[in-house]
Structure formats: C-alpha cells, structure tokens
Amino acid sequence: MEGDGVARIPRHVAIVMDGNGRWAQQRNLPRHAGHKAGVKSVRTSVEESVRHGIEVLTLFAFSSENWKRPAGEVSLLMDLFMVALQREVKRLKRNNVRLRIIGDRSAFSDKLQQRIAAAEAETAENDGLVLQIAANYGGRWDIVQSVRHLAARVASGELTAERISEAVISSGLSFSDLPDPDLFIRTGGEQRISNFMLWQSAYTELFFTDAYWPDFDARAYAAALDFFAARQRRFGMLEEQLSSATPNPPDSTD
C-alpha cells in the first residue's frame, strides 16, 4: 500500500555498524573482540533483509577516516575482513545473495584486493539481495570521484558544463545502478551520518538506536523497519498531493 505516501518495506537499507569497541570495553574485553562479535549481527541483518524482501543492504564496515585509528586495531580489522570474506562467501552464495564492495580498494593489500574480487565473482550470478560492504568508503570521496570523471569528460569535449545535472553527477557515484537508501540505521547511540553516502541519502529516513552493533538482533532490526513503515515520505510535496505511486525525490527540499 503506497497511496498514502508510506512505503511499508524499504528497498534499500544502509547501516552504520557502531559500538563494537564500547561493547567489548563494557565486558573488559579488547576492542577487537567486539568487532568479532559483530559478525553475528551482520549475518542476522542479511537473513532478516532476505526474509523481508529488501533489495539492497549496505553495511558501513570501514570508513576512509578509520585509518586514523591505532595501527594495531586497523590491522586486526583488515584480518577480520579477510577471514569474513573467506568464511561467509559460501553462505551468501547458498542464500542467493550478491556481494559487492564499494569504496577505494587501492589502500588495501594485494591479497585483500584479490580476495574481494574473488568473493564478488563467486556471487555475481546471484539475483537475490544485494549485500554491499562499504570499505575504505566516504561520501565525500564518492562525490569527488564523480566530479573528477565529469571534469575529464568536459576536458575531452564529450560533455559540456551546461549538460551537468543531478542525474549526471549521480551516474558517476558508487552503486548508481541501485536505488538510493530508503532507511539509514545507526547503532551505538551516536546521531550523525559520519560521511556515509552523503549524496544518496538526501531523502533517507534516519533511525538511531542506543544498541551496540553486537546486540543488534532480529528484534532490533524489526523495530527499525516498523519505524520506517510508519513514516509518510512526501519528498517535498503536501500530504494531499501524494498520488497512488510514491514520487521520485525532486530537486527541491521539503
């Protein structure tokens, strides 16, 4: 039912998986224990997304700013990423989930880049849920990449500045072939976007929870989906203007 401006199930859910370190510290455990515990919540989120018929799930695993963390923690995160790719890819393939990694891979080791490419190739034929892992990703980086591409096209004469539109800029961003996120979830009690999909989140519904990521279970995910189902998405229009189909976000703000 979408005639009242309400989309009951989001097509695309994006999650900032925050609070792993604090979850571990509360239990007198090293921070990396929280990151390991969070893998279970990743599995739960994937399973629940499949069960609810969500098309795309994007998880913010490692931001371009996370390199500023202590070298030991960064190294452990890279090791965990490698192990997770090796262990989870068969599960994803079995459940018809397609894996995509978005972000700047050039900073990763050759071994990790090869593992990423192999995992994507192994699930490339799946046509169910698209699971995107944002790794060494930043919203500003994403926009810069698009602008650089457009600048090169203008310099070559392929494109004129007058023809640059929102749609043209969007076409150069990560996952431009997929819908923008409908629902943004952040765990861990913080209430900010933290440079995550800045352009694509212009009309995204924002849901914040105090639960740390390792505690984000099926019930917590359901609460976020219930929040979304209750939202009326007007995209700048008045309530009485809403038609039988949910409109695309316009250029103006609401």
Side-chain angles (χ1 to χ4, degrees):
M1 178 179 176
E2 294 183 349
D4 58 358
V6 176
R8 302 300 180 187
I9 294 294
R11 296 181 64 193
H12 183 171
V13 175
I15 305 179
V16 173
M17 306 178 292
D18 197 12
N20 289 324
R22 284 170 287 160
W23 180 92
Q25 290 171 339
Q26 282 189 351
R27 292 159 176 77
N28 295 316
L29 298 171
R31 287 178 57 86
H32 68 81
H35 295 302
K36 289 183 177 179
V39 173
K40 180 180 179 182
S41 295
V42 170
R43 293 193 191 114
T44 297
S45 296
V46 171
E47 292 167 358
E48 290 301 299
S49 295
V50 171
R51 190 170 72 84
H52 285 283
I54 292 165
E55 298 176 29
V56 185
L57 173 65
T58 301
L59 303 177
F60 204 7
F62 191 85
S63 75
S64 49
E65 291 77 28
N66 285 155
W67 294 107
K68 301 174 185 176
R69 293 188 178 187
E73 181 173 349
V74 171
S75 178
L76 287 168
L77 283 170
M78 293 299 104
D79 290 343
L80 180 60
F81 191 18
M82 176 73 80
V83 171
L85 284 171
Q86 292 171 333
R87 289 182 177 176
E88 300 299 320
V89 68
K90 287 184 174 55
R91 185 194 304 267
L92 296 177
K93 188 174 182 179
R94 187 168 60 247
N95 288 284
N96 197 32
V97 175
R98 181 183 178 189
L99 177 67
R100 293 171 62 167
I101 310 299
I102 59 173
D104 182 4
R105 306 182 189 188
S106 63
F108 297 143
S109 68
D110 290 343
K111 186 176 181 181
L112 180 53
Q113 289 185 53
Q114 292 168 8
R115 183 61 253 177
I116 288 171
E120 288 181 325
E122 195 166 344
T123 63
E125 300 303 316
N126 293 349
D127 58 5
L129 173 74
V130 176
L131 172 62
Q132 293 193 126
I133 304 297
N136 196 25
Y137 174 89
R140 291 179 175 178
W141 166 86
D142 204 359
I143 295 170
V144 167
Q145 300 313 300
S146 179
V147 171
R148 284 178 176 171
H149 177 66
L150 292 178
R153 291 178 62 191
V154 171
S156 69
E158 177 189 347
L159 180 70
T160 62
E162 292 74 19
R163 289 178 55 204
I164 296 176
S165 63
E166 289 189 13
V168 172
I169 294 173
S170 294
S171 69
L173 298 172
S174 299
F175 66 91
S176 59
D177 58 325
L178 298 174
D180 287 344
D182 300 298
L183 173 62
F184 169 100
I185 301 171
R186 181 170 187 149
T187 61
E190 304 293 351
Q191 297 189 12
R192 54 180 178 268
I193 297 177
S194 294
N195 196 22
F196 187 35
M197 299 195 295
L198 298 178
W199 180 279
Q200 299 93 332
S201 298
Y203 281 86
T204 302
E205 301 293 335
L206 308 179
F207 179 84
F208 302 101
T209 174
D210 290 333
Y212 294 141
W213 178 244
D215 294 327
F216 191 77
D217 54 15
R219 181 176 296 182
Y221 197 179
L225 294 179
D226 287 344
F227 161 85
F228 179 82
R231 302 295 297 168
Q232 185 180 67
R233 309 188 74 202
R234 298 192 301 275
F235 300 105
M237 299 171 65
L238 298 177
E239 182 175 353
E240 55 267 27
Q241 291 178 293
L242 295 174
S243 63
S244 59
T246 302
N248 293 320
D251 293 340
S252 61
T253 63
D254 60 355

